[in-house]
Amino acid sequence: MRVSGVLRFLALIFALVTTWIFIRSYISLNAKTIRLPRWLSLVTKEIPVVRAKCGLAKPCPKEFFAFKISSGAANVVGPTMCFENQVIMSPVKNNVGRGLNIALVNGTTGMVLTQKCFDMYSGEVKLLVKFLKEIPEGTLVLVASYDDPGTRLNDETRKLLSSLGSSYAKQLGFRDSWVFLGAKDLKDKSPFEQFLKNNPNTNKYEGWPELLELEGCVPRKIP
Ligand SMILES: *[C@@H]1O[C@H](CO)[C@@H](O)[C@H](O)[C@H]1NC(C)=O
């Protein structure tokens, strides 16, 4: 009687342990089958999150700087400039204004040297000429228009902007949209430029053409 009692007890223990093991493996199996799609959905969610610098569609190659320049929209929203994922000028930073917005970047290190807005209506053309003449060699020059960049531009300014590689500086006029990236010692015309003439027949906004966006990868200057 006592031996069968012990055996019954052992059988009960054995049954409990196997049931427990079975339940445990069943749960972990379930957890795995649940976890797999979760992991997959995480991966598919992460793909659009991985963005290149300045929101570019693709990262720039090594030895290139990423940039994105947006001109102002009419006289309502100011321009924005991003360089190597750093917003240099924007309405949020409160360092943009109507006229020409210009940022200077060291072409070797990618470090921002200065940024300034020149309002032609405040007689800042002289300041702009001085500013453009003093740009050091090997400097990248980022330009974005806002509202009216062209009305009071003089020949000297147009020549200086053209010497940075601009094709459109000579014809920049009243309320044109213009975005440009050039460099101080550029021998050729810059491939980074967009221009839209103010034309009442084609203007997107009443009185202003559409805003322009310019983005890309500019090669680092090897000293
Ligand atoms: C740019 O950076 C390089 C390397 O630090 C330096 O030699 C050069 O003087 C800088 N140029 C300007 C214009 O700051």
Side-chain angles (χ1 to χ4, degrees):
M1 282 294 269
R2 277 194 83 186
V3 173
S4 70
V6 168
L7 280 176
R8 250 187 231 156
F9 180 71
L10 282 176
L12 182 70
I13 295 289
F14 177 78
L16 282 174
V17 166
T18 44
T19 309
W20 182 70
I21 287 171
F22 176 78
I23 287 170
R24 251 193 71 143
S25 64
Y26 178 79
I27 285 170
S28 74
L29 205 79
N30 262 2
K32 258 181 218 153
T33 52
I34 289 163
R35 223 177 272 139
L36 194 66
R38 236 185 239 165
W39 173 76
L40 277 174
S41 70
L42 249 178
V43 167
T44 49
K45 255 184 224 155
E46 264 169 18
I47 288 167
V49 169
V50 179
R51 287 236 181 85
K53 284 174 183 168
C54 294
L56 265 61
K58 277 195 295 189
C60 291
K62 219 171 169 268
E63 304 297 333
F64 281 77
F65 297 126
F67 73 91
K68 183 168 186 169
I69 307 170
S70 306
S71 73
N75 61 345
V76 180
V77 184
T80 301
M81 282 184 203
C82 174
F83 191 87
E84 280 291 284
N85 227 17
Q86 185 191 348
V87 177
I88 307 174
M89 300 185 89
S90 78
V92 173
K93 293 200 83 160
N94 201 22
N95 59 358
V96 291
R98 71 171 176 178
L100 284 177
N101 295 270
I102 306 181
L104 303 182
V105 176
N106 184 315
T108 304
T109 60
M111 263 177 50
V112 178
L113 302 171
T114 185
Q115 69 275 310
K116 201 169 163 21
C117 169
F118 297 90
D119 182 348
M120 302 302 147
Y121 287 92
S122 313
E124 289 187 330
V125 176
K126 273 184 194 152
L127 278 178
L128 177 57
V129 168
K130 189 172 179 289
F131 181 87
L132 292 173
K133 278 184 175 167
E134 287 174 356
I135 297 174
E137 285 281 295
T139 303
L140 294 172
V141 185
L142 292 75
V143 186
S145 67
Y146 182 29
D147 188 6
D148 180 10
T151 300
R152 304 194 178 188
L153 226 54
N154 58 18
D155 278 353
E156 195 175 14
T157 327
R158 292 176 194 281
K159 265 184 204 141
L160 286 164
L161 289 168
S162 300
S163 76
L164 300 171
S166 168
S167 311
Y168 296 102
K170 19 180 215 301
Q171 53 167 299
L172 194 61
F174 176 62
R175 289 185 178 175
D176 291 345
S177 282
W178 183 44
V179 280
F180 168 68
L181 186 147
K184 179 64 178 182
D185 47 1
L186 212 62
K187 309 277 185 305
D188 307 300
K189 289 296 166 206
S190 167
F192 306 117
E193 183 167 26
Q194 283 204 53
F195 177 76
L196 211 53
K197 201 120 200 81
N198 167 22
N199 179 343
N201 298 322
T202 55
N203 279 349
K204 169 153 182 180
Y205 311 110
E206 200 184 323
W208 289 267
E210 195 168 357
L211 74 92
L212 290 173
E213 283 190 333
L214 180 71
E215 60 175 55
C217 305
V218 59
R220 194 169 86 92
K221 188 180 156 64
I222 314 293

